[in-house]
Amino acid sequence: MKQACHYASRLASDSLDRPLSLWERLRLKLHLSMCSNCQNCDNNLKLMRQINELMRNNHYGEVRLSDQQQNQLHKALDKHSASVN
Ligand SMILES: [Zn+2]
């Protein structure tokens, strides 16, 4: 992974937990406009966040996924990413 991609994926992840500064948002947006790998990463993070919020809103409480379930989710996300491109 390129250093720019590493930084962008970190910013994308951080953006789910805290507001990014203007400079961080600009750097992330610029990188996402040029890098399809990081676009996929950003889309997957947002999808996982949406799933998480959906589960919370439906009062499932603390949902813990087994390793096998996590692998299945990762495969589904990979398929989702492939279908988006
Ligand atoms: Zn990238």
Side-chain angles (χ1 to χ4, degrees):
M1 180 183 268
K2 294 184 216 169
Q3 189 170 359
C5 292
H6 180 74
Y7 183 70
S9 64
R10 182 169 194 146
L11 283 179
S13 176
D14 286 355
S15 73
L16 299 177
D17 298 322
R18 66 173 175 86
L20 299 181
S21 69
L22 177 61
W23 178 243
E24 289 172 326
R25 287 196 311 268
L26 288 174
R27 285 188 73 176
L28 177 60
K29 216 168 196 159
L30 179 63
H31 186 81
L32 293 179
S33 71
M34 299 182 298
C35 181
S36 61
N37 287 334
C38 287
Q39 284 174 20
N40 289 337
C41 176
D42 188 53
N43 288 336
N44 288 342
L45 285 171
K46 287 176 181 168
L47 179 62
M48 290 181 75
R49 176 65 150 227
Q50 288 172 348
I51 290 170
N52 189 33
E53 287 177 8
L54 191 67
M55 293 168 103
R56 252 193 229 155
N57 290 337
N58 285 310
H59 306 289
Y60 287 123
E62 286 190 44
V63 176
R64 302 216 184 272
L65 300 177
S66 68
D67 289 344
Q68 183 181 4
Q69 289 170 320
Q70 289 179 32
N71 286 335
Q72 288 173 335
L73 180 58
H74 285 287
K75 285 178 185 173
L77 290 171
D78 288 343
K79 278 185 183 176
H80 172 75
S81 295
S83 68
V84 170
N85 290 328

